[in-house]
């Protein structure tokens, strides 16, 4: 079709040339060359059928007029469009383009008249298109005013959205069907329980301040888990340090502060529970930005934890002295491998009913941990050692040392299924010393129902150095868990 159009155009030119004197050439440096080139870049005119355009050749005035005529056809076609399509088409033509077209028409109006171009129609088309261009420019100016006006509707909407983001809510629900007690490994009725129901409210009125309140609504009633204020230096916690004060996780190692909604195994290791009951304490800490290969945390805490003592009904978290526990935690990343070390140092040990308190007995804990993240395989391990342990045992030996560890492998069978195996051991149990040494295997499968919910099925095989002679005692059991994050 383009070839036929071009052929007809040049046939018309040939007829005109026979009827008039030979046309004058248009020099390559003529302003019309530059004008037509700019309009071609707008898509208002294309080149010859072979794909070439002006090139280096010198055009006759009739050839240039033919190009102008094709430009006018494009303008006429655009002016004939209606509605939003016309406005959209006009939006790519500026007033400067129209002035250029008008100038070309004036320059080649004789040749265009000979070719049969209706110049009155051209003038009408250009005038209509100019009004549409002015309308588009007016709308663009209005849009620019809306976007940049500090008191305009966009800024008002942005401020309203920012207010909504001041408060965010999250949490998780953890329900189970169990056949054993994971701490005592004593036989228990096969029953459904709500292990944990956490609700977390985060308030962040600006980039540097954040407040967190986390409640546990599970089987032990309502209890505050987290309640702290965080100051973020320069508003960037990824690269800058943060200061925390209130009740929060003990920043010791990996297993203690890691949430139940992140951990693969159903519960923390038993040694972590014995050395850090409740996993939380009141105090203050400073943490470096977490972006980068090295991360550190340093804090001072009351040292009592927040565990509620089921035997006496007292709260071990009450602070009875001025002694504070110091925690130092560091982590170094080597590509896919994370290595960490932790220290906890304080004084003072209680017995089970808090009737006795030894203020001169040291509470010391050491830890080392690693996490190795491969393509489908993840390895996590941690070692704990310490002494000065609050105990519920009838025989109280606060100065006795204890150590333990866990090692875990997790293999991604598919995008939705993960196979987990964990072995954990402890030299002795301060809560149940008659058990002697403790160890267990936890083997299970995690199935992701969607991005926020998953099912866990674990079987726990427990071993003790000494068995309790009881016909109702069973060491092993199943744990079927449903966990939903929100």
């Amino acid at each position: 079709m383009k070839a036929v159009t071009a052929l007809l155009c040049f046939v018309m030119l040939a007829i005109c040339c026979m009827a008039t004197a030979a046309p004058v050439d248009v020099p390559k440096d003529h302003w019309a060359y530059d004008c037509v080139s700019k309009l071609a870049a707008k898509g208002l005119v294309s080149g010859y059928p072979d794909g070439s355009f002006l090139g280096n050749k010198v055009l006759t005035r009739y050839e240039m007029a033919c190009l102008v005529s094709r430009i006018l056809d494009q303008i006429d076609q655009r002016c004939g469009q209606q509605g939003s399509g016309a406005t959209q088409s006009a939006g790519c033509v500026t007033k400067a383009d129209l002035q250029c077209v008008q100038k070309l028409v004036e320059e080649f109006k004789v040749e265009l008249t000979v070719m049969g171009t209706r110049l009155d129609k051209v003038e009408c088309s250009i005038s209509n298109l100019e009004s549409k261009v002015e309308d588009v420019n007016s709308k663009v100016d209005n849009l620019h005013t809306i976007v940049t006006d500090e008191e305009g509707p966009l800024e008002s909407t942005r401020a309203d959205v920012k207010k909504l983001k001041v408060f965010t809510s999250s949490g998780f629900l953890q329900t189970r069907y169990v056949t054993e007690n994971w701490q005592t490994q004593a036989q228990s009725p096969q029953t459904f329980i709500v292990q944990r129901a956490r609700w977390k409210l985060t308030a962040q009125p600006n980039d540097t301040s954040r407040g967190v309140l986390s409640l546990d609504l599970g089987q032990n009633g309502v209890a505050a888990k987290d309640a702290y204020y965080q100051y973020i230096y320069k508003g960037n916690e990824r690269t800058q340090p943060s200061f925390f004060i209130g009740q929060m996780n003990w920043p010791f190692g990996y297993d203690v502060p890691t949430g139940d909604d992140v951990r693969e195994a159903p519960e923390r290791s038993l040694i972590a529970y014995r050395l850090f009951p409740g996993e939380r304490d009141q105090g203050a800490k400073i943490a470096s930005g977490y972006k980068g290969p090295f991360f550190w945390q340093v804090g001072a805490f009351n040292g009592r934890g927040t565990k509620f003592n089921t035997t006496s009904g007292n709260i071990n978290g009450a602070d009875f002295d001025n002694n504070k526990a110091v925690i130092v935690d560091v982590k170094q990343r080597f590509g896919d491998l994370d290595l960490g070390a932790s220290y906890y140092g304080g004084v003072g040990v209680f017995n089970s009913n808090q009737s006795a308190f030894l203020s001169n007995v040291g509470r010391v804990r050491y830890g080392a941990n690693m996490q190795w993240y491969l393509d489908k395989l993840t390895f996590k391990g941690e070692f704990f050692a310490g002494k000065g342990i609050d105990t519920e045992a009838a025989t109280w030996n606060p100065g006795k040392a204890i150590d333990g560890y866990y090692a875990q492998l997790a293999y991604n069978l598919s995008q939705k299924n993960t196979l987990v195996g964990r072995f954990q051991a402890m030299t002795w149990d301060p809560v149940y010393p008659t058990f002697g040494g403790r160890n267990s295997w936890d083997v299970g499968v995690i199935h992701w129902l969607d991005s926020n919910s998953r099912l866990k099925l674990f079987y726990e095989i427990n071993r003790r150095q000494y068995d309790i002679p009881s016909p109702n005692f069973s060491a092993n059991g199943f744990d079927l868990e449903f966990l939903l994050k929100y």
Side-chain angles (χ1 to χ4, degrees):
M1 188 66 184
K2 289 183 179 179
V4 174
T5 302
L7 180 60
L8 290 175
C9 184
F10 283 109
V11 168
M12 185 181 297
L13 286 172
I15 296 173
C16 292
C17 287
M18 290 186 293
T20 60
V24 178
D25 292 337
V26 181
K28 289 183 293 182
D29 57 353
H30 195 277
W31 62 266
Y33 273 82
D34 182 61
C35 192
V36 172
S37 297
K38 291 179 180 178
L39 294 172
K42 293 275 186 175
L44 291 173
V45 63
S46 56
Y48 292 111
D50 64 356
S52 62
F53 189 60
L54 299 179
N56 294 320
K57 64 178 294 187
V58 176
L59 297 182
T60 66
R61 289 185 61 85
Y62 283 113
E63 287 177 316
M64 186 65 77
C66 182
L67 293 175
V68 174
S69 177
R70 290 162 67 183
I71 293 172
L72 294 174
D73 289 340
Q74 283 289 327
I75 292 177
D76 182 61
Q77 183 179 6
R78 296 191 180 195
C79 288
Q81 296 178 0
Q82 301 296 327
S84 60
T87 302
Q88 184 176 1
S89 298
C92 67
V93 181
T94 65
K95 295 183 71 172
D97 297 331
L98 297 177
Q99 292 173 357
C100 183
V101 172
Q102 184 69 48
K103 191 175 180 181
L104 286 170
V105 171
E106 290 293 331
E107 174 72 21
F108 299 102
K109 62 182 178 180
V110 175
E111 288 80 10
L112 289 170
T113 302
V114 173
M115 294 170 59
T117 302
R118 291 280 307 275
L119 296 183
D120 57 340
K121 185 178 179 181
V122 169
E123 294 290 344
C124 178
S125 299
I126 293 176
S127 177
N128 290 337
L129 192 56
E130 280 181 338
S131 65
K132 291 174 182 177
V133 169
E134 289 178 356
D135 182 60
V136 171
N137 291 337
S138 176
K139 292 180 179 178
V140 171
D141 291 339
N142 290 338
L143 181 60
H144 181 267
T145 301
I146 293 173
V147 172
T148 58
D149 187 1
E150 295 181 355
E151 298 181 356
L154 184 61
E155 282 299 320
S156 177
T157 303
R158 185 179 299 163
D160 292 339
V161 171
K162 189 175 182 180
K163 289 179 182 178
L164 292 176
K165 289 184 177 181
V166 168
F167 295 97
T168 57
S169 178
S170 61
F172 66 91
L173 174 65
Q174 190 178 34
T175 59
R176 290 179 178 173
Y177 177 74
V178 297
T179 63
E180 51 84 27
N181 185 302
W182 71 272
Q183 286 204 45
T184 65
Q185 276 72 53
Q187 187 180 32
S188 62
Q190 298 182 3
T191 182
F192 293 97
I193 62 172
V194 179
Q195 183 70 13
R196 295 175 182 90
R198 295 284 170 84
W199 177 71
K200 180 180 179 181
L201 179 65
T202 302
Q204 188 162 358
N206 51 58
D207 293 336
T208 59
S209 295
R210 179 183 297 156
V212 174
L213 174 64
S214 175
L215 301 178
D216 187 3
L217 312 173
Q219 58 181 339
N220 294 324
V222 180
K225 303 302 289 185
D226 298 299
Y228 63 83
Y229 166 78
Q230 177 185 2
Y231 173 75
I232 306 167
Y233 184 62
K234 292 186 177 181
N236 189 345
E237 62 182 329
R238 300 182 68 229
T239 60
Q240 302 297 327
S242 294
F243 172 78
F244 302 76
I245 184 168
Q247 179 170 300
M248 68 200 82
N249 282 101
W250 266 312
F252 187 99
Y254 179 84
D255 203 29
V256 174
T258 300
D260 302 276
D261 55 334
V262 176
R263 189 183 314 103
E264 293 88 355
E267 294 291 339
R268 290 176 175 84
S269 59
L270 195 55
I271 182 66
Y273 270 103
R274 294 299 186 251
L275 293 178
F276 296 94
E279 307 97 45
R280 288 167 172 81
D281 198 2
Q282 294 95 26
K285 74 172 183 178
I286 299 177
S288 69
Y290 56 83
K291 182 183 179 181
F294 184 71
F295 175 77
W296 56 264
Q297 301 179 89
V298 178
F301 293 84
N302 289 341
R304 307 270 25 105
T306 60
K307 181 185 176 183
F308 185 81
N309 190 293
T310 56
T311 303
S312 63
N314 295 325
I315 299 177
N316 287 347
D319 194 19
F320 295 97
D321 57 33
N322 294 324
N323 298 320
K324 296 293 178 280
V326 176
I327 299 180
V328 179
D329 180 73
V330 295
K331 177 172 287 188
Q332 178 69 43
R333 179 165 295 145
F334 302 92
D336 298 327
L337 176 64
D338 292 349
L339 298 178
S342 308
Y343 168 79
Y344 171 105
V347 293
V349 181
F350 276 100
N351 66 350
S352 60
N353 61 9
Q354 298 183 352
S355 61
F357 176 70
L358 300 181
S359 60
N360 59 346
V361 176
R363 296 169 61 88
V364 182
R365 287 98 169 90
Y366 302 94
N369 65 89
M370 68 170 296
Q371 299 84 47
W372 192 13
Y373 303 94
L374 302 176
D375 184 22
K376 291 187 175 182
L377 187 67
T378 302
F379 175 74
K380 297 178 181 179
E382 191 162 5
F383 173 80
F384 296 84
K387 66 177 182 178
I389 304 166
D390 294 336
T391 176
E392 298 176 4
T395 341
W396 189 32
N397 188 0
K400 186 174 181 179
I402 180 176
D403 62 72
Y405 67 92
Y406 70 87
Q408 174 185 287
L409 285 174
Y411 181 75
N412 293 327
L413 299 171
S414 64
Q415 189 175 3
K416 290 190 174 183
N417 299 289
T418 302
L419 180 64
V420 181
R422 182 182 72 171
F423 179 78
Q424 59 174 324
M426 186 167 56
T427 53
W428 68 283
D429 191 340
V431 178
Y432 301 98
T434 54
F435 285 177
R438 300 278 299 273
N439 65 71
S440 69
W441 280 97
D442 302 279
V443 181
V445 176
I446 303 174
H447 174 68
W448 290 86
L449 301 172
D450 52 49
S451 60
N452 294 318
S453 60
R454 61 182 183 262
L455 283 173
K456 293 182 180 181
L457 177 60
F458 273 78
Y459 184 69
E460 188 171 283
I461 305 171
N462 294 283
R463 294 290 181 268
R464 301 169 304 283
Q465 184 176 343
Y466 308 107
D467 286 333
I468 297 177
S470 172
N472 295 322
F473 191 88
S474 175
N476 307 330
F478 281 100
D479 190 323
L480 176 62
E481 174 183 296
F482 173 80
L483 192 144
L484 171 66
K485 296 175 63 176
Y486 53 87

